[in-house]
């Protein structure tokens, strides 16, 4: 009965549009009250969920991304991406995807990517003659690459939950992220060729060199982060702090587009964003503790293994479950609630933990572009000034493309494990 109330309140909150963190808290509080458990357990479990050292890197990476974004990074990355692929048919669509691949290596969050790049490119694409629905769809779809290509906030959460090295997680996402980007570029090109979308004028190797020079310091941040983690010089938290200082220096003194008077405001905005994520982590940890105490994860694992213990079928079932959950639940909440029990199931059938973690995060990133709770869909539809449904229809080819990459990563473990094994020997 208590568990039924837990899920009823949770589902009801989602249906009513209550924020996921609040819904998790209300449903957990209702369970504790009915089960006669002292309410003091709730803050204790919340604090336990947030009191993980690696989670301190999240505010640092968010601050670094915000400093670089305010310091002129978006325009420089878009210019470089446009110089590389803008001359191809449907060039601004390809530029959008390429910019997301480059930008994602700095922010680590899909929503930041969708808002920053979408704010520039969606109006620009519409002005150049691209349909508004295509412009919003390609921006929303490509924004999901951000948390796959390192650094990645969801992968930091996974590392905190499972003990998997965050550095290895970052490396494991590199090849799948690049594959996603390239596959979406092919899709955008095919659509553009069929619908005769415009292309940009070829501006020569000189423009590529000039635009790369302008974007160099921004792009170098990704290599700084990866080198710090792989070399063992710094922990993820220390790397995030170094990245923030680097971003401040580059934005204020190299690009000279970040006025120092804006820094306090950026600090407040970054702290607010990080606090929202960590509050979600805390409430989700309470919810997850209740599920574990009721042995629901074990029941899920036992139920699946009673159906089949075939590794390939279990991978398919996990993918279907995560794709479905991603349609309704925020990524971090879904990871905290489902990752550990599904990891146990995956290991029971011989799936490498690093491989599983990679395709689990990839699954939930795709969920950011699926209705009814696809956050990136809402952001891009708002920028394009469109209702949601035209964008949903326009994004379908990109969703199919991303699911194809997901299946490839799910069934070819080397796509996730080869690079970490090569560089961390």
């Amino acid at each position: 009965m208590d568990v039924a109330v837990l899920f009823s309140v949770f589902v009801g909150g989602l249906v009513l549009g209550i924020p996921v963190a609040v819904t998790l808290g209300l449903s957990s509080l209702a369970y504790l009250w009915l089960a006669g458990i002292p309410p003091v357990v709730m803050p204790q479990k919340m604090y336990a969920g947030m009191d993980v050292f690696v989670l301190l890197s999240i505010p640092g990476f968010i601050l670094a991304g915000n400093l670089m974004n305010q310091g002129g990074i978006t325009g420089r990355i878009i210019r470089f991406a446009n110089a590389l692929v803008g001359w191809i048919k449907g060039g601004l669509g390809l530029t959008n995807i390429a910019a997301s691949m480059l930008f994602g290596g700095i922010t680590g969050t899909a929503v930041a990517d969708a808002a920053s790049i979408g704010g520039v490119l969606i109006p620009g694409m519409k002005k150049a003659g691209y349909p508004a629905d295509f412009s919003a769809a390609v921006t929303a779809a490509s924004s999901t690459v951000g948390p796959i290509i390192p650094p990645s906030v969801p992968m930091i959460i996974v590392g905190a939950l499972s003990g998997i090295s965050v550095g290895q997680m970052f490396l494991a996402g590199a090849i799948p992220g690049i594959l996603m980007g390239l596959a979406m570029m092919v899709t955008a090109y095919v659509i553009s060729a069929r619908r005769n979308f415009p292309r940009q004028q070829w501006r020569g190797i000189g423009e590529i060199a000039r635009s790369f020079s302008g974007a160099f310091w921004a792009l170098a941040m990704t290599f700084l982060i990866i080198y710090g983690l792989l070399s063992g010089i710094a922990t993820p938290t220390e790397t995030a702090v170094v990245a923030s200082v680097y971003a401040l220096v580059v934005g204020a003194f190299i690009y000279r587009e970040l006025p120092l008077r804006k820094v306090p405001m950026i600090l407040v905005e970054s702290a607010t964003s990080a606090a929202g994520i960590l509050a979600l982590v805390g409430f989700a940890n309470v919810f997850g503790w209740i599920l574990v105490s009721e042995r629901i994860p074990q029941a899920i694992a036992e139920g699946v293994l009673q159906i089949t213990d075939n590794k390939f079928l279990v991978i398919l079932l996990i993918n279907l479950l995560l794709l479905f959950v991603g349609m309704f639940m925020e990524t971090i909440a879904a990871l905290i609630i489902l990752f550990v029990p599904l990891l146990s199931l995956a290991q029971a059938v011989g799936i490498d933990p690093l491989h599983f973690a990679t395709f689990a995060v990839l699954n939930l990133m795709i969920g950011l572009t699926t209705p009814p709770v696809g956050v990136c869909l809402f952001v891009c539809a708002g920028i394009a000034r469109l209702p949601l449904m035209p964008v949903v229809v326009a994004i379908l080819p990109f969703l199919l493309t991303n699911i194809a990459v997901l299946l490839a990563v799910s069934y070819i473990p080397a796509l996730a494990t080869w690079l970490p094994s090569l560089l961390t020997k």
Side-chain angles (χ1 to χ4, degrees):
M1 176 63 183
D2 299 341
V3 175
V5 171
L6 175 77
F7 285 109
S8 297
V9 175
F10 178 69
V11 173
L14 292 180
V15 170
L16 293 173
I18 299 172
V20 175
V22 177
T23 301
L24 288 167
L26 290 174
S27 55
S28 300
L29 195 59
Y31 172 89
L32 295 176
W33 180 65
L34 288 173
I37 299 173
V40 71
V41 169
M42 192 158 184
Q44 290 174 345
K45 295 300 178 182
M46 284 184 66
Y47 181 77
M50 294 184 286
D51 187 25
V52 180
F53 181 71
V54 73
L55 293 181
L56 286 174
S57 61
I58 292 176
F61 284 125
I62 290 174
L63 175 59
N66 286 342
L67 286 169
M68 291 294 280
N69 190 33
Q70 293 290 325
I73 178 177
T74 306
R76 284 176 169 82
I77 284 181
I78 289 174
R79 181 185 172 189
F80 178 51
N82 196 40
L84 289 175
V85 297
W87 54 274
I88 303 171
K89 175 68 75 172
L92 281 181
L94 302 182
T95 296
N96 198 319
I97 298 167
S100 291
M101 294 172 70
L102 298 173
F103 194 77
I106 295 164
T107 65
T109 59
V111 176
D113 184 323
S116 299
I117 291 181
V120 176
L121 274 181
I122 290 177
M125 290 178 70
K126 289 168 64 178
K127 187 176 180 180
Y130 291 79
D133 57 350
F134 175 82
S135 304
V138 73
T139 305
S142 64
S143 68
T144 58
V145 175
I148 306 299
I149 295 176
S152 165
V153 170
M155 288 182 177
I156 294 170
I157 298 291
V158 166
L161 290 171
S162 64
I164 300 172
S165 163
V166 173
Q168 287 198 326
M169 284 293 304
F170 282 5
L171 287 175
I175 292 176
I178 292 170
L179 285 177
M180 279 181 68
L182 294 176
M184 284 189 284
M185 281 185 166
V186 172
T187 303
Y189 174 78
V190 171
I191 294 172
S192 300
R194 287 181 176 177
R195 300 176 65 179
N196 197 31
F197 291 160
R199 70 177 79 191
Q200 303 292 104
Q201 184 179 358
W202 166 249
R203 298 181 182 179
I205 299 296
E207 171 62 13
I208 293 178
R210 287 189 296 272
S211 61
F212 173 76
S213 176
F216 172 79
W217 292 105
L219 300 175
M221 181 183 284
T222 301
F223 297 99
L224 173 71
I225 292 167
I226 296 300
Y227 176 75
L229 291 172
L230 293 183
S231 64
I233 294 174
T235 65
T237 301
E238 293 163 346
T239 303
V241 173
V242 171
S244 296
V245 174
Y246 175 93
L248 176 62
V249 172
V250 169
F253 302 109
I254 295 178
Y255 288 164
R256 297 183 180 181
E257 292 189 23
L258 176 62
L260 292 178
R261 66 178 183 275
K262 283 190 175 182
V263 173
M265 179 190 69
I266 294 171
L267 286 169
V268 171
E269 290 176 353
S270 301
T272 303
S273 299
I277 292 174
L278 292 175
L280 179 57
V281 169
F283 283 122
N285 190 64
V286 180
F287 194 91
W289 171 76
I290 292 171
L291 295 183
V292 171
S293 66
E294 292 285 349
R295 294 187 55 82
I296 290 174
Q298 293 88 334
I300 293 173
E302 290 167 4
V304 171
L305 291 175
Q306 284 179 358
I307 298 172
T308 180
D309 60 358
N310 181 284
K311 177 179 178 178
F312 300 103
L313 287 177
V314 169
I315 289 175
L316 179 62
L317 290 173
I318 290 174
N319 278 328
L320 290 173
L321 172 63
L322 289 177
L323 284 172
F324 177 76
V325 169
M327 295 173 65
F328 299 96
M329 193 181 297
E330 200 275 342
T331 301
I332 294 174
L335 282 173
I336 293 173
I337 293 169
L338 294 174
F339 184 82
V340 173
L342 290 180
L343 175 61
S344 301
L345 172 60
Q347 289 180 297
V349 296
I351 300 172
D352 180 84
L354 183 61
H355 174 220
F356 167 74
T358 305
F359 73 76
V361 171
L362 182 52
N363 248 300
L364 293 170
M365 289 303 100
I366 293 174
L368 291 170
T369 58
T370 54
V373 191
V375 179
C376 292
L377 278 179
F378 286 100
V379 169
C380 294
I383 295 172
R385 299 182 180 179
L386 287 174
L388 191 62
M389 277 312 297
V391 183
V392 170
V393 172
I395 207 172
L396 286 177
F398 297 100
L399 279 178
L400 294 175
T401 297
N402 286 342
I403 289 173
V405 173
L406 167 64
L407 292 175
V409 173
S410 300
Y411 288 106
I412 308 175
L415 293 176
T417 60
W418 174 76
L419 195 58
S421 65
L422 179 68
L423 297 180
T424 58
K425 287 181 179 179

